[in-house]
Amino acid sequence: MLIYHFMHRVVAPTSRAIWRPHVEGTENVPKTGGVIIASNHLSFCDSLVIPIVAPRQVTFLAKAEYFDGKGIKGRASRAFFEGLGAVPVPREQKRGAMAALEAGKGVLDRGMAFGIYPEGTRSLDGRLYRGKTGVAWLALTARVPVVPVGVIDTDKVQPVGTRIPKFKPKALVRFGEPLDFSAHYERKDVAKARREVTDEIMEAIQKLSGQDTAGVYNERPAEA
């Protein structure tokens, strides 16, 4: 928590001053209680930009490798991601996807905000891909609202393959109104309910981001 407070009292304001992201709709993020922050995904820096502009702590998952490094570089990486409130999850394992969702539910059960990218990985062509139903599993299992988010031009701030964000481009982050899925909690047709909830979330994200839709699932690039 000391690292987190340092990041948000010192690093976050400095980052906002340098990159000056535009932000809309922060009033739509509930001040308390578990909530899912569901965003489109254009750049590695999405997981940095959203937490520094959100009005409350947002926890994202991060590869366990970011926490396991050795030496000064490894300790710096661990401190950085811990400061962002990230939760380490092994990326390659038999139950990797379920382990990630369970970790997210644990965050929500503690009354915190959990960030997720329903597309699963970054869009390399700028289109919005079909959402995977894990986000709906979280919303219906943890019984929390979903705040859709549209990020714009973060891929220009930090294009794929670059390590340091650029100063000139300005990203836009739009927080939409919370989506309430309580009407779906007791449905027996679970798979259909998850698909419908996911599609509604993706539609809300598209309205915020203005992206063209791909209509298919995204495949994880080798370097992601």
PDB file of all heavy atoms in Angstrom, residues 28-30 34-39 108 114 116 118 135-140 143-149 175-182 185 197-198 200-202 204-205 208:
ATOM      1  N   ASN A  28     -18.892   8.360 -13.579  1.00  0.00           N
ATOM      2  CA  ASN A  28     -19.626   7.115 -13.786  1.00  0.00           C
ATOM      3  C   ASN A  28     -19.040   5.936 -13.020  1.00  0.00           C
ATOM      4  O   ASN A  28     -19.672   4.880 -12.941  1.00  0.00           O
ATOM      5  CB  ASN A  28     -19.653   6.767 -15.281  1.00  0.00           C
ATOM      6  CG  ASN A  28     -20.519   7.721 -16.085  1.00  0.00           C
ATOM      7  OD1 ASN A  28     -21.583   8.132 -15.632  1.00  0.00           O
ATOM      8  ND2 ASN A  28     -20.057   8.077 -17.281  1.00  0.00           N
ATOM      9  N   VAL A  29     -17.845   6.107 -12.479  1.00  0.00           N
ATOM     10  CA  VAL A  29     -17.207   5.022 -11.727  1.00  0.00           C
ATOM     11  C   VAL A  29     -17.694   5.067 -10.278  1.00  0.00           C
ATOM     12  O   VAL A  29     -17.477   6.066  -9.581  1.00  0.00           O
ATOM     13  CB  VAL A  29     -15.671   5.148 -11.752  1.00  0.00           C
ATOM     14  CG1 VAL A  29     -15.032   4.006 -10.961  1.00  0.00           C
ATOM     15  CG2 VAL A  29     -15.166   5.159 -13.190  1.00  0.00           C
ATOM     16  N   PRO A  30     -18.389   4.016  -9.802  1.00  0.00           N
ATOM     17  CA  PRO A  30     -18.848   4.002  -8.404  1.00  0.00           C
ATOM     18  C   PRO A  30     -17.686   4.229  -7.451  1.00  0.00           C
ATOM     19  O   PRO A  30     -16.597   3.687  -7.646  1.00  0.00           O
ATOM     20  CB  PRO A  30     -19.444   2.594  -8.249  1.00  0.00           C
ATOM     21  CG  PRO A  30     -19.827   2.190  -9.640  1.00  0.00           C
ATOM     22  CD  PRO A  30     -18.773   2.790 -10.528  1.00  0.00           C
ATOM     23  N   GLY A  34     -17.410  -3.410  -5.263  1.00  0.00           N
ATOM     24  CA  GLY A  34     -16.813  -4.111  -6.385  1.00  0.00           C
ATOM     25  C   GLY A  34     -17.384  -3.630  -7.708  1.00  0.00           C
ATOM     26  O   GLY A  34     -18.605  -3.438  -7.825  1.00  0.00           O
ATOM     27  N   VAL A  35     -16.543  -3.434  -8.682  1.00  0.00           N
ATOM     28  CA  VAL A  35     -16.976  -2.992 -10.009  1.00  0.00           C
ATOM     29  C   VAL A  35     -15.953  -3.445 -11.040  1.00  0.00           C
ATOM     30  O   VAL A  35     -14.747  -3.445 -10.783  1.00  0.00           O
ATOM     31  CB  VAL A  35     -17.160  -1.459 -10.067  1.00  0.00           C
ATOM     32  CG1 VAL A  35     -15.848  -0.735  -9.770  1.00  0.00           C
ATOM     33  CG2 VAL A  35     -17.713  -1.025 -11.412  1.00  0.00           C
ATOM     34  N   ILE A  36     -16.441  -3.855 -12.189  1.00  0.00           N
ATOM     35  CA  ILE A  36     -15.571  -4.254 -13.294  1.00  0.00           C
ATOM     36  C   ILE A  36     -15.372  -3.073 -14.224  1.00  0.00           C
ATOM     37  O   ILE A  36     -16.331  -2.427 -14.635  1.00  0.00           O
ATOM     38  CB  ILE A  36     -16.186  -5.428 -14.075  1.00  0.00           C
ATOM     39  CG1 ILE A  36     -16.286  -6.670 -13.181  1.00  0.00           C
ATOM     40  CG2 ILE A  36     -15.354  -5.741 -15.321  1.00  0.00           C
ATOM     41  CD1 ILE A  36     -17.087  -7.798 -13.789  1.00  0.00           C
ATOM     42  N   ILE A  37     -14.123  -2.783 -14.538  1.00  0.00           N
ATOM     43  CA  ILE A  37     -13.773  -1.752 -15.509  1.00  0.00           C
ATOM     44  C   ILE A  37     -13.385  -2.484 -16.789  1.00  0.00           C
ATOM     45  O   ILE A  37     -12.304  -3.055 -16.878  1.00  0.00           O
ATOM     46  CB  ILE A  37     -12.600  -0.875 -15.010  1.00  0.00           C
ATOM     47  CG1 ILE A  37     -12.906  -0.301 -13.618  1.00  0.00           C
ATOM     48  CG2 ILE A  37     -12.294   0.231 -16.014  1.00  0.00           C
ATOM     49  CD1 ILE A  37     -14.072   0.645 -13.566  1.00  0.00           C
ATOM     50  N   ALA A  38     -14.298  -2.513 -17.774  1.00  0.00           N
ATOM     51  CA  ALA A  38     -14.091  -3.299 -18.993  1.00  0.00           C
ATOM     52  C   ALA A  38     -13.746  -2.378 -20.156  1.00  0.00           C
ATOM     53  O   ALA A  38     -14.550  -1.530 -20.544  1.00  0.00           O
ATOM     54  CB  ALA A  38     -15.345  -4.111 -19.311  1.00  0.00           C
ATOM     55  N   SER A  39     -12.556  -2.556 -20.714  1.00  0.00           N
ATOM     56  CA  SER A  39     -12.060  -1.629 -21.729  1.00  0.00           C
ATOM     57  C   SER A  39     -11.640  -2.337 -23.016  1.00  0.00           C
ATOM     58  O   SER A  39     -11.307  -3.524 -23.012  1.00  0.00           O
ATOM     59  CB  SER A  39     -10.847  -0.863 -21.166  1.00  0.00           C
ATOM     60  OG  SER A  39     -10.257  -0.039 -22.139  1.00  0.00           O
ATOM     61  N   LEU A 108     -12.815  -8.402  -6.751  1.00  0.00           N
ATOM     62  CA  LEU A 108     -14.182  -7.877  -6.666  1.00  0.00           C
ATOM     63  C   LEU A 108     -14.833  -8.214  -5.332  1.00  0.00           C
ATOM     64  O   LEU A 108     -15.565  -7.387  -4.763  1.00  0.00           O
ATOM     65  CB  LEU A 108     -15.025  -8.438  -7.816  1.00  0.00           C
ATOM     66  CG  LEU A 108     -14.572  -8.011  -9.223  1.00  0.00           C
ATOM     67  CD1 LEU A 108     -15.293  -8.839 -10.274  1.00  0.00           C
ATOM     68  CD2 LEU A 108     -14.839  -6.522  -9.435  1.00  0.00           C
ATOM     69  N   PHE A 114     -11.885  -3.911 -10.617  1.00  0.00           N
ATOM     70  CA  PHE A 114     -11.033  -4.830 -11.367  1.00  0.00           C
ATOM     71  C   PHE A 114     -11.101  -4.497 -12.848  1.00  0.00           C
ATOM     72  O   PHE A 114     -12.182  -4.410 -13.432  1.00  0.00           O
ATOM     73  CB  PHE A 114     -11.478  -6.275 -11.145  1.00  0.00           C
ATOM     74  CG  PHE A 114     -10.675  -7.285 -11.916  1.00  0.00           C
ATOM     75  CD1 PHE A 114      -9.348  -7.534 -11.589  1.00  0.00           C
ATOM     76  CD2 PHE A 114     -11.235  -7.973 -12.984  1.00  0.00           C
ATOM     77  CE1 PHE A 114      -8.599  -8.456 -12.298  1.00  0.00           C
ATOM     78  CE2 PHE A 114     -10.494  -8.897 -13.699  1.00  0.00           C
ATOM     79  CZ  PHE A 114      -9.168  -9.142 -13.358  1.00  0.00           C
ATOM     80  N   ILE A 116     -10.402  -5.252 -16.868  1.00  0.00           N
ATOM     81  CA  ILE A 116     -10.301  -6.408 -17.754  1.00  0.00           C
ATOM     82  C   ILE A 116     -10.486  -5.966 -19.201  1.00  0.00           C
ATOM     83  O   ILE A 116     -11.188  -4.992 -19.486  1.00  0.00           O
ATOM     84  CB  ILE A 116     -11.372  -7.475 -17.383  1.00  0.00           C
ATOM     85  CG1 ILE A 116     -11.152  -8.764 -18.174  1.00  0.00           C
ATOM     86  CG2 ILE A 116     -12.782  -6.939 -17.580  1.00  0.00           C
ATOM     87  CD1 ILE A 116     -12.052  -9.917 -17.713  1.00  0.00           C
ATOM     88  N   PRO A 118     -12.043  -7.493 -22.389  1.00  0.00           N
ATOM     89  CA  PRO A 118     -12.835  -8.622 -22.890  1.00  0.00           C
ATOM     90  C   PRO A 118     -12.325  -9.198 -24.202  1.00  0.00           C
ATOM     91  O   PRO A 118     -12.556 -10.380 -24.490  1.00  0.00           O
ATOM     92  CB  PRO A 118     -14.236  -8.021 -23.060  1.00  0.00           C
ATOM     93  CG  PRO A 118     -14.282  -6.895 -22.080  1.00  0.00           C
ATOM     94  CD  PRO A 118     -12.896  -6.321 -22.099  1.00  0.00           C
ATOM     95  N   VAL A 135     -15.666 -11.943 -18.989  1.00  0.00           N
ATOM     96  CA  VAL A 135     -16.129 -10.717 -18.338  1.00  0.00           C
ATOM     97  C   VAL A 135     -17.545 -10.899 -17.808  1.00  0.00           C
ATOM     98  O   VAL A 135     -17.892 -10.398 -16.731  1.00  0.00           O
ATOM     99  CB  VAL A 135     -16.039  -9.516 -19.313  1.00  0.00           C
ATOM    100  CG1 VAL A 135     -16.975  -9.685 -20.508  1.00  0.00           C
ATOM    101  CG2 VAL A 135     -16.353  -8.210 -18.584  1.00  0.00           C
ATOM    102  N   ALA A 136     -18.372 -11.630 -18.559  1.00  0.00           N
ATOM    103  CA  ALA A 136     -19.736 -11.893 -18.096  1.00  0.00           C
ATOM    104  C   ALA A 136     -19.728 -12.862 -16.915  1.00  0.00           C
ATOM    105  O   ALA A 136     -20.525 -12.717 -15.979  1.00  0.00           O
ATOM    106  CB  ALA A 136     -20.570 -12.454 -19.240  1.00  0.00           C
ATOM    107  N   TRP A 137     -18.831 -13.863 -16.979  1.00  0.00           N
ATOM    108  CA  TRP A 137     -18.714 -14.782 -15.838  1.00  0.00           C
ATOM    109  C   TRP A 137     -18.421 -13.995 -14.569  1.00  0.00           C
ATOM    110  O   TRP A 137     -19.024 -14.250 -13.513  1.00  0.00           O
ATOM    111  CB  TRP A 137     -17.597 -15.794 -16.106  1.00  0.00           C
ATOM    112  CG  TRP A 137     -17.423 -16.809 -15.012  1.00  0.00           C
ATOM    113  CD1 TRP A 137     -18.027 -18.024 -14.898  1.00  0.00           C
ATOM    114  CD2 TRP A 137     -16.590 -16.680 -13.837  1.00  0.00           C
ATOM    115  NE1 TRP A 137     -17.631 -18.663 -13.739  1.00  0.00           N
ATOM    116  CE2 TRP A 137     -16.754 -17.855 -13.070  1.00  0.00           C
ATOM    117  CE3 TRP A 137     -15.738 -15.681 -13.365  1.00  0.00           C
ATOM    118  CZ2 TRP A 137     -16.082 -18.067 -11.866  1.00  0.00           C
ATOM    119  CZ3 TRP A 137     -15.072 -15.886 -12.160  1.00  0.00           C
ATOM    120  CH2 TRP A 137     -15.242 -17.066 -11.423  1.00  0.00           C
ATOM    121  N   LEU A 138     -17.505 -13.051 -14.663  1.00  0.00           N
ATOM    122  CA  LEU A 138     -17.164 -12.231 -13.503  1.00  0.00           C
ATOM    123  C   LEU A 138     -18.351 -11.408 -13.027  1.00  0.00           C
ATOM    124  O   LEU A 138     -18.665 -11.362 -11.833  1.00  0.00           O
ATOM    125  CB  LEU A 138     -16.004 -11.289 -13.849  1.00  0.00           C
ATOM    126  CG  LEU A 138     -14.587 -11.815 -13.722  1.00  0.00           C
ATOM    127  CD1 LEU A 138     -13.607 -10.764 -14.213  1.00  0.00           C
ATOM    128  CD2 LEU A 138     -14.276 -12.190 -12.278  1.00  0.00           C
ATOM    129  N   ALA A 139     -19.018 -10.728 -13.966  1.00  0.00           N
ATOM    130  CA  ALA A 139     -20.124  -9.848 -13.601  1.00  0.00           C
ATOM    131  C   ALA A 139     -21.262 -10.623 -12.950  1.00  0.00           C
ATOM    132  O   ALA A 139     -21.866 -10.159 -11.960  1.00  0.00           O
ATOM    133  CB  ALA A 139     -20.636  -9.105 -14.834  1.00  0.00           C
ATOM    134  N   LEU A 140     -21.573 -11.802 -13.487  1.00  0.00           N
ATOM    135  CA  LEU A 140     -22.702 -12.570 -12.978  1.00  0.00           C
ATOM    136  C   LEU A 140     -22.354 -13.378 -11.742  1.00  0.00           C
ATOM    137  O   LEU A 140     -23.214 -13.628 -10.895  1.00  0.00           O
ATOM    138  CB  LEU A 140     -23.225 -13.499 -14.079  1.00  0.00           C
ATOM    139  CG  LEU A 140     -23.720 -12.804 -15.356  1.00  0.00           C
ATOM    140  CD1 LEU A 140     -24.200 -13.824 -16.374  1.00  0.00           C
ATOM    141  CD2 LEU A 140     -24.826 -11.807 -15.032  1.00  0.00           C
ATOM    142  N   ARG A 143     -21.549 -10.633  -9.077  1.00  0.00           N
ATOM    143  CA  ARG A 143     -22.748  -9.792  -8.958  1.00  0.00           C
ATOM    144  C   ARG A 143     -22.388  -8.326  -8.732  1.00  0.00           C
ATOM    145  O   ARG A 143     -22.768  -7.702  -7.749  1.00  0.00           O
ATOM    146  CB  ARG A 143     -23.671 -10.320  -7.855  1.00  0.00           C
ATOM    147  CG  ARG A 143     -24.127 -11.751  -8.114  1.00  0.00           C
ATOM    148  CD  ARG A 143     -25.312 -12.178  -7.290  1.00  0.00           C
ATOM    149  NE  ARG A 143     -25.836 -13.460  -7.756  1.00  0.00           N
ATOM    150  CZ  ARG A 143     -27.025 -13.970  -7.411  1.00  0.00           C
ATOM    151  NH1 ARG A 143     -27.805 -13.284  -6.577  1.00  0.00           N
ATOM    152  NH2 ARG A 143     -27.426 -15.133  -7.898  1.00  0.00           N
ATOM    153  N   VAL A 144     -21.629  -7.821  -9.684  1.00  0.00           N
ATOM    154  CA  VAL A 144     -21.182  -6.428  -9.620  1.00  0.00           C
ATOM    155  C   VAL A 144     -21.507  -5.731 -10.940  1.00  0.00           C
ATOM    156  O   VAL A 144     -21.661  -6.386 -11.979  1.00  0.00           O
ATOM    157  CB  VAL A 144     -19.662  -6.335  -9.358  1.00  0.00           C
ATOM    158  CG1 VAL A 144     -19.314  -6.904  -7.991  1.00  0.00           C
ATOM    159  CG2 VAL A 144     -18.878  -7.046 -10.459  1.00  0.00           C
ATOM    160  N   PRO A 145     -21.600  -4.407 -10.934  1.00  0.00           N
ATOM    161  CA  PRO A 145     -21.832  -3.666 -12.180  1.00  0.00           C
ATOM    162  C   PRO A 145     -20.575  -3.617 -13.033  1.00  0.00           C
ATOM    163  O   PRO A 145     -19.471  -3.902 -12.556  1.00  0.00           O
ATOM    164  CB  PRO A 145     -22.222  -2.269 -11.691  1.00  0.00           C
ATOM    165  CG  PRO A 145     -21.527  -2.135 -10.369  1.00  0.00           C
ATOM    166  CD  PRO A 145     -21.574  -3.512  -9.754  1.00  0.00           C
ATOM    167  N   VAL A 146     -20.765  -3.265 -14.292  1.00  0.00           N
ATOM    168  CA  VAL A 146     -19.652  -3.142 -15.233  1.00  0.00           C
ATOM    169  C   VAL A 146     -19.622  -1.726 -15.786  1.00  0.00           C
ATOM    170  O   VAL A 146     -20.634  -1.227 -16.284  1.00  0.00           O
ATOM    171  CB  VAL A 146     -19.793  -4.134 -16.409  1.00  0.00           C
ATOM    172  CG1 VAL A 146     -18.650  -3.940 -17.412  1.00  0.00           C
ATOM    173  CG2 VAL A 146     -19.828  -5.566 -15.907  1.00  0.00           C
ATOM    174  N   VAL A 147     -18.476  -1.064 -15.664  1.00  0.00           N
ATOM    175  CA  VAL A 147     -18.295   0.258 -16.266  1.00  0.00           C
ATOM    176  C   VAL A 147     -17.522   0.063 -17.568  1.00  0.00           C
ATOM    177  O   VAL A 147     -16.357  -0.328 -17.547  1.00  0.00           O
ATOM    178  CB  VAL A 147     -17.526   1.215 -15.337  1.00  0.00           C
ATOM    179  CG1 VAL A 147     -17.169   2.513 -16.074  1.00  0.00           C
ATOM    180  CG2 VAL A 147     -18.360   1.533 -14.103  1.00  0.00           C
ATOM    181  N   PRO A 148     -18.170   0.306 -18.733  1.00  0.00           N
ATOM    182  CA  PRO A 148     -17.449   0.172 -20.005  1.00  0.00           C
ATOM    183  C   PRO A 148     -16.505   1.348 -20.198  1.00  0.00           C
ATOM    184  O   PRO A 148     -16.782   2.466 -19.766  1.00  0.00           O
ATOM    185  CB  PRO A 148     -18.581   0.192 -21.034  1.00  0.00           C
ATOM    186  CG  PRO A 148     -19.655   1.023 -20.390  1.00  0.00           C
ATOM    187  CD  PRO A 148     -19.570   0.716 -18.909  1.00  0.00           C
ATOM    188  N   VAL A 149     -15.379   1.084 -20.827  1.00  0.00           N
ATOM    189  CA  VAL A 149     -14.372   2.123 -21.065  1.00  0.00           C
ATOM    190  C   VAL A 149     -13.922   2.073 -22.514  1.00  0.00           C
ATOM    191  O   VAL A 149     -13.690   0.993 -23.065  1.00  0.00           O
ATOM    192  CB  VAL A 149     -13.146   1.936 -20.138  1.00  0.00           C
ATOM    193  CG1 VAL A 149     -12.079   2.985 -20.443  1.00  0.00           C
ATOM    194  CG2 VAL A 149     -13.557   2.019 -18.679  1.00  0.00           C
ATOM    195  N   PHE A 175     -15.061   6.865 -19.661  1.00  0.00           N
ATOM    196  CA  PHE A 175     -15.757   5.942 -18.766  1.00  0.00           C
ATOM    197  C   PHE A 175     -17.258   6.080 -19.019  1.00  0.00           C
ATOM    198  O   PHE A 175     -17.820   7.178 -18.902  1.00  0.00           O
ATOM    199  CB  PHE A 175     -15.456   6.264 -17.300  1.00  0.00           C
ATOM    200  CG  PHE A 175     -14.030   6.044 -16.899  1.00  0.00           C
ATOM    201  CD1 PHE A 175     -13.101   7.086 -16.989  1.00  0.00           C
ATOM    202  CD2 PHE A 175     -13.595   4.815 -16.436  1.00  0.00           C
ATOM    203  CE1 PHE A 175     -11.776   6.903 -16.619  1.00  0.00           C
ATOM    204  CE2 PHE A 175     -12.270   4.622 -16.066  1.00  0.00           C
ATOM    205  CZ  PHE A 175     -11.365   5.665 -16.160  1.00  0.00           C
ATOM    206  N   GLY A 176     -17.910   4.983 -19.368  1.00  0.00           N
ATOM    207  CA  GLY A 176     -19.338   5.014 -19.625  1.00  0.00           C
ATOM    208  C   GLY A 176     -20.160   4.778 -18.372  1.00  0.00           C
ATOM    209  O   GLY A 176     -19.623   4.506 -17.293  1.00  0.00           O
ATOM    210  N   GLU A 177     -21.467   4.880 -18.516  1.00  0.00           N
ATOM    211  CA  GLU A 177     -22.361   4.649 -17.387  1.00  0.00           C
ATOM    212  C   GLU A 177     -22.340   3.176 -16.982  1.00  0.00           C
ATOM    213  O   GLU A 177     -22.225   2.289 -17.840  1.00  0.00           O
ATOM    214  CB  GLU A 177     -23.786   5.074 -17.744  1.00  0.00           C
ATOM    215  CG  GLU A 177     -23.934   6.568 -17.992  1.00  0.00           C
ATOM    216  CD  GLU A 177     -25.364   6.970 -18.266  1.00  0.00           C
ATOM    217  OE1 GLU A 177     -26.249   6.076 -18.223  1.00  0.00           O
ATOM    218  OE2 GLU A 177     -25.602   8.165 -18.515  1.00  0.00           O
ATOM    219  N   PRO A 178     -22.450   2.878 -15.683  1.00  0.00           N
ATOM    220  CA  PRO A 178     -22.408   1.485 -15.217  1.00  0.00           C
ATOM    221  C   PRO A 178     -23.533   0.657 -15.828  1.00  0.00           C
ATOM    222  O   PRO A 178     -24.669   1.141 -15.991  1.00  0.00           O
ATOM    223  CB  PRO A 178     -22.573   1.614 -13.696  1.00  0.00           C
ATOM    224  CG  PRO A 178     -22.177   3.018 -13.383  1.00  0.00           C
ATOM    225  CD  PRO A 178     -22.583   3.836 -14.570  1.00  0.00           C
ATOM    226  N   LEU A 179     -23.220  -0.575 -16.152  1.00  0.00           N
ATOM    227  CA  LEU A 179     -24.204  -1.515 -16.686  1.00  0.00           C
ATOM    228  C   LEU A 179     -24.615  -2.469 -15.571  1.00  0.00           C
ATOM    229  O   LEU A 179     -23.763  -3.076 -14.917  1.00  0.00           O
ATOM    230  CB  LEU A 179     -23.607  -2.300 -17.850  1.00  0.00           C
ATOM    231  CG  LEU A 179     -23.078  -1.463 -19.027  1.00  0.00           C
ATOM    232  CD1 LEU A 179     -22.413  -2.377 -20.056  1.00  0.00           C
ATOM    233  CD2 LEU A 179     -24.197  -0.667 -19.663  1.00  0.00           C
ATOM    234  N   ASP A 180     -25.921  -2.589 -15.358  1.00  0.00           N
ATOM    235  CA  ASP A 180     -26.466  -3.439 -14.294  1.00  0.00           C
ATOM    236  C   ASP A 180     -27.020  -4.714 -14.915  1.00  0.00           C
ATOM    237  O   ASP A 180     -27.934  -4.668 -15.741  1.00  0.00           O
ATOM    238  CB  ASP A 180     -27.574  -2.685 -13.550  1.00  0.00           C
ATOM    239  CG  ASP A 180     -28.220  -3.497 -12.443  1.00  0.00           C
ATOM    240  OD1 ASP A 180     -27.740  -4.619 -12.171  1.00  0.00           O
ATOM    241  OD2 ASP A 180     -29.220  -3.029 -11.863  1.00  0.00           O
ATOM    242  N   PHE A 181     -26.462  -5.855 -14.511  1.00  0.00           N
ATOM    243  CA  PHE A 181     -26.892  -7.130 -15.078  1.00  0.00           C
ATOM    244  C   PHE A 181     -27.616  -8.006 -14.059  1.00  0.00           C
ATOM    245  O   PHE A 181     -27.676  -9.231 -14.212  1.00  0.00           O
ATOM    246  CB  PHE A 181     -25.677  -7.877 -15.640  1.00  0.00           C
ATOM    247  CG  PHE A 181     -25.042  -7.170 -16.799  1.00  0.00           C
ATOM    248  CD1 PHE A 181     -23.794  -6.575 -16.664  1.00  0.00           C
ATOM    249  CD2 PHE A 181     -25.694  -7.072 -18.014  1.00  0.00           C
ATOM    250  CE1 PHE A 181     -23.204  -5.917 -17.732  1.00  0.00           C
ATOM    251  CE2 PHE A 181     -25.121  -6.407 -19.087  1.00  0.00           C
ATOM    252  CZ  PHE A 181     -23.869  -5.829 -18.950  1.00  0.00           C
ATOM    253  N   SER A 182     -28.199  -7.385 -13.043  1.00  0.00           N
ATOM    254  CA  SER A 182     -28.870  -8.142 -11.989  1.00  0.00           C
ATOM    255  C   SER A 182     -30.046  -8.965 -12.525  1.00  0.00           C
ATOM    256  O   SER A 182     -30.396 -10.001 -11.947  1.00  0.00           O
ATOM    257  CB  SER A 182     -29.355  -7.205 -10.880  1.00  0.00           C
ATOM    258  OG  SER A 182     -30.198  -6.184 -11.395  1.00  0.00           O
ATOM    259  N   TYR A 185     -28.954 -12.624 -13.138  1.00  0.00           N
ATOM    260  CA  TYR A 185     -28.304 -13.415 -12.105  1.00  0.00           C
ATOM    261  C   TYR A 185     -28.881 -14.819 -11.949  1.00  0.00           C
ATOM    262  O   TYR A 185     -28.147 -15.777 -11.716  1.00  0.00           O
ATOM    263  CB  TYR A 185     -28.369 -12.697 -10.753  1.00  0.00           C
ATOM    264  CG  TYR A 185     -27.511 -11.450 -10.638  1.00  0.00           C
ATOM    265  CD1 TYR A 185     -27.719 -10.540  -9.602  1.00  0.00           C
ATOM    266  CD2 TYR A 185     -26.504 -11.188 -11.550  1.00  0.00           C
ATOM    267  CE1 TYR A 185     -26.936  -9.390  -9.487  1.00  0.00           C
ATOM    268  CE2 TYR A 185     -25.724 -10.046 -11.451  1.00  0.00           C
ATOM    269  CZ  TYR A 185     -25.949  -9.146 -10.420  1.00  0.00           C
ATOM    270  OH  TYR A 185     -25.183  -7.999 -10.310  1.00  0.00           O
ATOM    271  N   VAL A 197     -24.665 -10.877 -22.153  1.00  0.00           N
ATOM    272  CA  VAL A 197     -24.055  -9.858 -21.295  1.00  0.00           C
ATOM    273  C   VAL A 197     -22.759  -9.359 -21.926  1.00  0.00           C
ATOM    274  O   VAL A 197     -22.498  -8.152 -21.982  1.00  0.00           O
ATOM    275  CB  VAL A 197     -23.787 -10.427 -19.884  1.00  0.00           C
ATOM    276  CG1 VAL A 197     -22.872  -9.504 -19.088  1.00  0.00           C
ATOM    277  CG2 VAL A 197     -25.106 -10.626 -19.142  1.00  0.00           C
ATOM    278  N   THR A 198     -21.957 -10.274 -22.424  1.00  0.00           N
ATOM    279  CA  THR A 198     -20.695  -9.887 -23.063  1.00  0.00           C
ATOM    280  C   THR A 198     -20.948  -8.998 -24.267  1.00  0.00           C
ATOM    281  O   THR A 198     -20.269  -7.975 -24.452  1.00  0.00           O
ATOM    282  CB  THR A 198     -19.901 -11.133 -23.492  1.00  0.00           C
ATOM    283  OG1 THR A 198     -19.640 -11.948 -22.340  1.00  0.00           O
ATOM    284  CG2 THR A 198     -18.574 -10.743 -24.138  1.00  0.00           C
ATOM    285  N   GLU A 200     -23.474  -7.075 -24.836  1.00  0.00           N
ATOM    286  CA  GLU A 200     -23.946  -5.760 -24.400  1.00  0.00           C
ATOM    287  C   GLU A 200     -22.775  -4.893 -23.921  1.00  0.00           C
ATOM    288  O   GLU A 200     -22.716  -3.691 -24.193  1.00  0.00           O
ATOM    289  CB  GLU A 200     -24.981  -5.907 -23.286  1.00  0.00           C
ATOM    290  CG  GLU A 200     -25.594  -4.577 -22.859  1.00  0.00           C
ATOM    291  CD  GLU A 200     -26.720  -4.722 -21.849  1.00  0.00           C
ATOM    292  OE1 GLU A 200     -27.301  -5.827 -21.757  1.00  0.00           O
ATOM    293  OE2 GLU A 200     -27.025  -3.727 -21.156  1.00  0.00           O
ATOM    294  N   ILE A 201     -21.837  -5.508 -23.226  1.00  0.00           N
ATOM    295  CA  ILE A 201     -20.653  -4.788 -22.755  1.00  0.00           C
ATOM    296  C   ILE A 201     -19.836  -4.295 -23.949  1.00  0.00           C
ATOM    297  O   ILE A 201     -19.404  -3.136 -23.995  1.00  0.00           O
ATOM    298  CB  ILE A 201     -19.791  -5.686 -21.850  1.00  0.00           C
ATOM    299  CG1 ILE A 201     -20.538  -5.995 -20.545  1.00  0.00           C
ATOM    300  CG2 ILE A 201     -18.435  -5.013 -21.548  1.00  0.00           C
ATOM    301  CD1 ILE A 201     -19.881  -7.067 -19.700  1.00  0.00           C
ATOM    302  N   MET A 202     -19.628  -5.166 -24.933  1.00  0.00           N
ATOM    303  CA  MET A 202     -18.836  -4.783 -26.100  1.00  0.00           C
ATOM    304  C   MET A 202     -19.518  -3.692 -26.912  1.00  0.00           C
ATOM    305  O   MET A 202     -18.854  -2.810 -27.476  1.00  0.00           O
ATOM    306  CB  MET A 202     -18.566  -6.015 -26.976  1.00  0.00           C
ATOM    307  CG  MET A 202     -17.741  -7.109 -26.303  1.00  0.00           C
ATOM    308  SD  MET A 202     -16.210  -6.508 -25.530  1.00  0.00           S
ATOM    309  CE  MET A 202     -15.299  -5.956 -26.975  1.00  0.00           C
ATOM    310  N   ALA A 204     -21.372  -1.334 -25.667  1.00  0.00           N
ATOM    311  CA  ALA A 204     -21.151  -0.103 -24.913  1.00  0.00           C
ATOM    312  C   ALA A 204     -19.727   0.413 -25.112  1.00  0.00           C
ATOM    313  O   ALA A 204     -19.501   1.623 -25.255  1.00  0.00           O
ATOM    314  CB  ALA A 204     -21.430  -0.342 -23.422  1.00  0.00           C
ATOM    315  N   ILE A 205     -18.757  -0.500 -25.131  1.00  0.00           N
ATOM    316  CA  ILE A 205     -17.362  -0.111 -25.355  1.00  0.00           C
ATOM    317  C   ILE A 205     -17.208   0.501 -26.747  1.00  0.00           C
ATOM    318  O   ILE A 205     -16.527   1.522 -26.924  1.00  0.00           O
ATOM    319  CB  ILE A 205     -16.425  -1.321 -25.190  1.00  0.00           C
ATOM    320  CG1 ILE A 205     -16.375  -1.765 -23.714  1.00  0.00           C
ATOM    321  CG2 ILE A 205     -15.007  -0.987 -25.685  1.00  0.00           C
ATOM    322  CD1 ILE A 205     -15.591  -3.052 -23.489  1.00  0.00           C
ATOM    323  N   LEU A 208     -18.221   4.045 -27.026  1.00  0.00           N
ATOM    324  CA  LEU A 208     -17.277   4.952 -26.381  1.00  0.00           C
ATOM    325  C   LEU A 208     -15.990   5.115 -27.197  1.00  0.00           C
ATOM    326  O   LEU A 208     -15.415   6.205 -27.246  1.00  0.00           O
ATOM    327  CB  LEU A 208     -16.932   4.430 -24.986  1.00  0.00           C
ATOM    328  CG  LEU A 208     -18.070   4.434 -23.963  1.00  0.00           C
ATOM    329  CD1 LEU A 208     -17.698   3.575 -22.753  1.00  0.00           C
ATOM    330  CD2 LEU A 208     -18.404   5.852 -23.513  1.00  0.00           C
TER     331      LEU A 208
END
